[in-house]
Amino acid sequence: MSYQFAKNVDALQPSAIREILKFTGMPGVISFAAGSPAAEAFPVDTIRTISRELLEQDPILALQYNITEGYLKLRTELKQWMTEKHCFDPAMDDLITTSGAQQANELSCKVLLDRGDTMFCEAPSFIGSLNAFRSYGVNLVGIPMEQDGMDLSILESAIQQHPNPKLVYVIPNFQNPTGRVMSLEKRKGLYALACRYNLIILEDNPYGDLRFAGEDVPSIKSMDTEGRVIYSGTFSKILAPGLRVGYVSAPAEIISKITVCKQVSDVHTNIWAQAVCAEFLARTDMEPYLDTLRAVYRRKCQLMADGIRQHFSDRVTWEMPEGGLFLWCTLPESCDVSAFCKKAVEEYSVAVVPGNAFLVDESAKSHSFRLNYSTPSDEQIEKGIAMLGSMTKKFLANA
Amino acid sequence: MSYQFAKNVDALQPSAIREILKFTGMPGVISFAAGSPAAEAFPVDTIRTISRELLEQDPILALQYNITEGYLKLRTELKQWMTEKHCFDPAMDDLITTSGAQQANELSCKVLLDRGDTMFCEAPSFIGSLNAFRSYGVNLVGIPMEQDGMDLSILESAIQQHPNPKLVYVIPNFQNPTGRVMSLEKRKGLYALACRYNLIILEDNPYGDLRFAGEDVPSIKSMDTEGRVIYSGTFSKILAPGLRVGYVSAPAEIISKITVCKQVSDVHTNIWAQAVCAEFLARTDMEPYLDTLRAVYRRKCQLMADGIRQHFSDRVTWEMPEGGLFLWCTLPESCDVSAFCKKAVEEYSVAVVPGNAFLVDESAKSHSFRLNYSTPSDEQIEKGIAMLGSMTKKFLANA
């Protein structure tokens, strides 16, 4: 029996990093290839208490169907928090909870774009989002990243050149995979372009609360006077990703379409998890709590950075992030980064992700690779970076 | 600001039952319009115990990312149970857990159909699935139901008449909304048609375990020698719908595409809920447990049927279900069922769903309405059916 699949789905290729990820489950392999938050930072005791109380006091709430828009108490708590952060505008917006920010980003694409319409993303960008967009057959165009975000002049040319430009997808804070922050100037410039060319901006902010150095930059959503910004967030990095709770704040008309699409996708998000998030927000003074997370990420990032300084060839350039989960390294242009990453995992048992995996066209050239410091233990960071460092010296001696 | 939405999504209309559902939250309104399982049947104590042990013994499992295919222990338990029921073929199939059967059905459509391709469903059928299919812009064709399932001769003509026929969607057991069971003969006939015309069958079985009278009929999946049946199931009706855990069993090649699409939709299903389902299956002797549920549904259905016999006009025909959540009533052809349902909720404070809400074309004629007996309390069933009964007599006197 041979199956004929939908064109959009058939075109989804297995990721370029599959070969490397195959190794990450093997004993002895140290993985800097993941994107999981630090499990030691999960507020296990609080979640346990909230869950016990919920299942004792209101089990039917946790177990019966609920509305697609999301558990009312969670949305109320979230709106308040979002309003404080200027990521929710009570006069214009509505808010829906989603099954992770993944669903928020996927549905934003589904409601706005027809097959063949154009959307823009940073190049490189988050693979999960890129695949979500690909699954709707859109014309996905990567715009090169500079140190302070997407190159806006290239974006403007691309907007003029491509058919039906509709959406720009950006991760302004501690971007995946580069760890870079979009400057205030670029945020304003991007918003101005969106207004000029009638585009919607999808601002994905999974890491924004994990800033451990420098100063916060206002969200693009906070500049949105026209109703062009869809803001997506998640509890995955500040609470726990297994909960699968994210959210979207956007003008009510967009949220109403996202709600229809969410209803046909999974009816509503697991209600136990939504109740856990709601109670967590209600009981927790968030800034001091987030400071404890930031301390964990600051320390792990510093440990990795110290190792890099000590062990890496000085021909590897790298960028010290001010938050988030990732550190971006770049080899000299003469180097084949795919060969480097393959060798790293096969001969040195250290898994890292080659930069081309994050490009719209995975066969395009990249000289960078992504390191994750949130998932590995301190010991793994020290040992893995030392091994990777010794490899950079040998590999680059021959390059 | 005016938004331009994707064609597929823009075409999704607010449901015809919206007007009626607006009333169901009002004080004093008795709702037979829902589709929720009986909350008194939720195994609250067991779920509480499993949850407490999980969060004490293995909290990181419940809180960290997991794989898209689903929690391994749940899939292992499920495969064993599905194999016993001949709904999983170890030689050919694979199995993925989903965020409810809603996601299973939605993704089956997404992976197989391009916009404009044809799929067939029973007329009437489950609104949630119809909207999921509509959201991919497919040519959705309703095939009239007979007492023992879809009219296969009409189906065959429709297959010959429509472009790119790909998929047939059926709910063979205690169908939503009719409560009818597809006969063994029709199941075999449908499978033969699928083979003849190279179609895939999506067999949705949310209610199959809730048979409280009569004998089980073998699943279409159990006849599937060619690999043409996608079988979807759910824990919503046998455990609790708030968990949002469903599953799909299908040939591995199809599951692999569904997995890719699930990954871009929500990464994976809430892992706490998956672990609860896994442990529940592992600890529970399922047949005796299901018997306790069946007793609840049998009793509530009987209570409603008794009320109908006592109070309804004898010009209302109705069908006694052998399982599931719904009871299907039909008015004489001269009656306007929309007006009947509107009057029922507005003047008698009893909400029921008009049959046209379950049709591909909601503006088409229907003379039936759906009653749900699982959600209301015994008192609500007695009182609501008495009121509805007195209304049928007055309404039909004028019809």
Side-chain angles (χ1 to χ4, degrees):
Chain A
M1 176 94 193
S2 84
Y3 302 98
Q4 192 190 337
F5 294 107
K7 289 186 197 83
N8 292 344
V9 174
D10 221 29
L12 282 179
Q13 295 299 317
S15 168
I17 57 171
R18 218 167 230 243
E19 286 298 303
I20 283 161
L21 292 179
K22 268 199 280 186
F23 287 92
T24 58
M26 291 185 181
V29 170
I30 294 176
S31 176
F32 300 137
S36 305
E40 66 262 39
F42 294 167
V44 171
D45 289 338
T46 310
I47 292 174
R48 200 182 276 144
T49 303
I50 290 172
S51 175
R52 193 189 61 235
E53 291 175 10
L54 172 69
L55 292 175
E56 275 167 14
Q57 293 160 17
D58 206 353
I60 303 305
L61 165 71
L63 298 175
Q64 188 55 284
Y65 280 119
N66 209 295
I67 55 173
T68 303
E69 289 81 351
Y71 177 44
L72 187 60
K73 178 166 184 179
L74 175 56
R75 281 186 295 142
T76 307
E77 291 284 343
L78 261 174
K79 280 181 183 179
Q80 190 185 325
W81 196 37
M82 290 295 102
T83 305
E84 286 163 18
K85 296 201 284 182
H86 306 289
C87 297
F88 181 77
D89 178 347
M92 178 167 63
D93 286 357
D94 213 332
L95 186 139
I96 180 174
T97 59
T98 54
S99 301
Q102 180 73 38
Q103 188 180 50
N105 297 329
E106 186 219 359
L107 294 186
S108 298
C109 176
K110 180 172 180 175
V111 304
L112 288 168
L113 275 79
D114 289 314
R115 184 176 159 85
D117 285 352
T118 299
M119 66 177 288
F120 306 96
C121 64
E122 292 150 331
S125 186
F126 170 49
I127 306 171
S129 293
L130 301 190
N131 279 338
F133 307 146
R134 287 174 179 128
S135 83
Y136 290 97
V138 304
N139 177 34
L140 186 58
V141 178
I143 306 297
M145 284 281 276
E146 299 176 297
Q147 280 300 323
D148 63 344
M150 195 178 251
D151 185 321
L152 294 184
S153 60
I154 297 181
L155 173 62
E156 184 160 12
S157 306
I159 293 169
Q160 292 164 347
Q161 283 162 25
H162 286 273
N164 301 323
K166 295 270 176 74
L167 190 64
V168 187
Y169 171 71
V170 288
I171 309 169
N173 294 317
F174 324 120
Q175 199 246 11
N176 181 357
T178 62
R180 292 176 192 163
V181 174
M182 191 181 222
S183 64
L184 180 60
E185 189 193 343
K186 282 236 165 129
R187 293 177 195 219
K188 287 179 179 169
L190 175 60
Y191 187 72
L193 278 182
C195 293
R196 189 170 324 143
Y197 292 98
N198 194 23
L199 303 179
I200 304 287
I201 296 170
L202 174 54
E203 179 175 26
D204 185 15
N205 190 22
Y207 316 112
D209 287 310
L210 297 178
R211 175 179 282 280
F212 48 72
E215 296 293 322
D216 277 340
V217 183
S219 66
I220 306 171
K221 188 82 173 85
S222 69
M223 307 164 189
D224 186 18
T225 50
E226 297 199 354
R228 322 195 147 268
V229 181
I230 302 174
Y231 178 92
S232 72
T234 176
F235 285 90
S236 291
K237 275 74 190 183
I238 61 167
L239 206 52
L243 299 171
R244 310 305 310 125
V245 181
Y247 48 91
V248 201
S249 154
E253 206 180 330
I254 295 177
I255 292 295
S256 121
K257 290 292 183 192
I258 290 178
T259 305
V260 170
C261 286
K262 177 169 172 61
Q263 186 158 43
V264 305
S265 176
D266 63 3
V267 188
H268 63 75
T269 295
N270 177 285
I271 194 74
W272 170 86
Q274 291 192 71
V276 165
C277 293
E279 276 302 318
F280 193 88
L281 285 180
R283 293 177 190 195
T284 308
D285 192 355
M286 287 301 283
E287 276 305 310
Y289 166 73
L290 291 172
D291 279 341
T292 64
L293 298 191
R294 291 165 188 144
V296 171
Y297 287 85
R298 182 185 298 116
R299 201 183 51 70
K300 297 189 85 141
C301 179
Q302 194 61 59
L303 190 67
M304 184 170 271
D306 290 346
I308 290 173
R309 274 190 209 97
Q310 189 181 342
H311 300 292
F312 273 32
S313 157
D314 57 13
R315 292 178 61 205
V316 180
T317 56
W318 57 283
E319 302 168 33
M320 185 68 187
E322 296 190 328
L325 279 61
F326 305 110
L327 198 153
W328 190 240
C329 300
T330 303
L331 300 175
E333 291 214 356
S334 59
C335 287
D336 177 347
V337 77
S338 294
F340 175 87
C341 296
K342 195 160 181 286
K343 196 179 177 77
V345 74
E346 287 178 359
E347 294 179 26
Y348 291 76
S349 294
V350 179
V352 305
V353 185
N356 59 302
F358 305 99
L359 297 176
V360 171
D361 173 8
E362 288 189 351
S363 66
K365 273 263 177 277
S366 168
H367 304 287
S368 302
F369 59 92
R370 188 190 76 176
L371 295 176
N372 165 267
Y373 48 81
S374 57
T375 319
S377 66
D378 289 4
E379 192 194 345
Q380 287 172 323
I381 291 175
E382 287 176 344
K383 193 174 158 197
I385 290 297
M387 290 198 294
L388 202 61
S390 80
M391 181 184 149
T392 60
K393 288 173 184 164
K394 284 184 206 155
F395 192 87
L396 293 181
N398 304 324
Chain B
M1 174 95 195
S2 83
Y3 302 98
Q4 192 191 337
F5 294 106
K7 289 187 197 81
N8 293 343
V9 174
D10 221 29
L12 282 179
Q13 295 299 318
S15 166
I17 57 172
R18 216 169 233 243
E19 285 299 303
I20 284 160
L21 291 179
K22 267 198 284 185
F23 288 92
T24 59
M26 290 186 181
V29 170
I30 294 178
S31 177
F32 301 137
S36 305
E40 65 262 39
F42 295 166
V44 171
D45 288 338
T46 311
I47 291 174
R48 199 182 275 144
T49 304
I50 290 172
S51 176
R52 193 188 61 236
E53 291 176 11
L54 172 69
L55 292 175
E56 274 167 14
Q57 292 160 17
D58 206 352
I60 302 305
L61 165 72
L63 298 176
Q64 189 54 286
Y65 280 119
N66 209 296
I67 55 173
T68 303
E69 289 81 352
Y71 177 45
L72 188 59
K73 179 166 184 178
L74 175 57
R75 280 185 295 142
T76 307
E77 292 285 343
L78 261 175
K79 281 181 182 179
Q80 190 184 325
W81 196 37
M82 292 295 103
T83 305
E84 286 163 18
K85 298 201 284 183
H86 306 288
C87 296
F88 181 76
D89 179 348
M92 180 168 62
D93 286 358
D94 214 331
L95 187 139
I96 180 173
T97 59
T98 54
S99 301
Q102 180 73 38
Q103 188 180 50
N105 297 329
E106 186 219 359
L107 295 186
S108 297
C109 175
K110 180 172 180 175
V111 305
L112 288 168
L113 276 79
D114 289 314
R115 184 177 159 84
D117 285 352
T118 299
M119 67 176 289
F120 307 95
C121 63
E122 293 151 330
S125 186
F126 170 49
I127 307 173
S129 292
L130 301 190
N131 279 338
F133 307 147
R134 287 175 178 129
S135 83
Y136 289 98
V138 305
N139 177 34
L140 186 59
V141 179
I143 306 297
M145 284 280 277
E146 298 175 298
Q147 280 300 324
D148 64 343
M150 195 179 254
D151 185 321
L152 294 185
S153 60
I154 296 181
L155 174 64
E156 185 161 12
S157 307
I159 293 170
Q160 292 164 347
Q161 283 162 24
H162 285 274
N164 302 320
K166 295 270 176 75
L167 190 65
V168 187
Y169 171 72
V170 287
I171 309 168
N173 294 317
F174 324 119
Q175 199 246 12
N176 182 357
T178 62
R180 292 176 192 163
V181 174
M182 190 180 221
S183 64
L184 180 59
E185 189 193 344
K186 282 236 165 130
R187 292 176 197 221
K188 287 178 177 169
L190 175 61
Y191 187 72
L193 279 182
C195 293
R196 189 170 323 141
Y197 292 99
N198 194 25
L199 303 178
I200 304 286
I201 296 170
L202 174 55
E203 180 176 25
D204 185 14
N205 190 22
Y207 315 112
D209 287 310
L210 297 178
R211 176 178 281 280
F212 47 72
E215 295 294 321
D216 277 339
V217 183
S219 66
I220 307 171
K221 188 83 173 81
S222 69
M223 308 164 189
D224 186 19
T225 50
E226 297 199 356
R228 320 192 150 271
V229 182
I230 302 174
Y231 177 93
S232 72
T234 176
F235 286 90
S236 290
K237 275 75 190 183
I238 62 168
L239 207 51
L243 298 172
R244 309 305 308 124
V245 181
Y247 47 92
V248 200
S249 155
E253 208 179 330
I254 294 177
I255 292 295
S256 121
K257 291 291 183 192
I258 290 178
T259 306
V260 170
C261 286
K262 177 168 170 63
Q263 185 157 43
V264 305
S265 176
D266 63 4
V267 187
H268 63 77
T269 294
N270 176 286
I271 194 75
W272 170 87
Q274 291 192 72
V276 166
C277 293
E279 275 303 317
F280 192 88
L281 285 180
R283 294 177 189 195
T284 309
D285 193 354
M286 286 302 284
E287 276 306 310
Y289 165 73
L290 291 172
D291 279 342
T292 64
L293 297 191
R294 290 165 187 144
V296 171
Y297 287 86
R298 181 186 298 116
R299 201 183 51 70
K300 297 188 86 140
C301 179
Q302 195 60 59
L303 191 65
M304 183 171 273
D306 290 346
I308 290 174
R309 274 189 209 99
Q310 189 181 342
H311 299 292
F312 273 32
S313 157
D314 56 13
R315 293 177 62 206
V316 181
T317 56
W318 57 283
E319 302 168 32
M320 184 69 187
E322 296 190 328
L325 278 62
F326 304 110
L327 199 152
W328 190 240
C329 300
T330 302
L331 300 175
E333 291 214 356
S334 58
C335 287
D336 177 346
V337 76
S338 294
F340 175 88
C341 295
K342 195 159 180 286
K343 196 180 175 79
V345 73
E346 288 179 359
E347 295 179 23
Y348 292 76
S349 296
V350 179
V352 305
V353 186
N356 59 302
F358 305 98
L359 297 175
V360 171
D361 173 9
E362 287 189 351
S363 66
K365 273 264 177 274
S366 168
H367 304 288
S368 302
F369 59 92
R370 188 189 77 176
L371 295 176
N372 165 267
Y373 48 79
S374 57
T375 318
S377 66
D378 290 4
E379 192 194 347
Q380 287 172 322
I381 292 175
E382 288 176 344
K383 192 173 159 198
I385 291 296
M387 289 198 294
L388 202 60
S390 78
M391 180 182 150
T392 60
K393 289 174 183 163
K394 285 186 205 153
F395 192 87
L396 293 180
N398 305 325

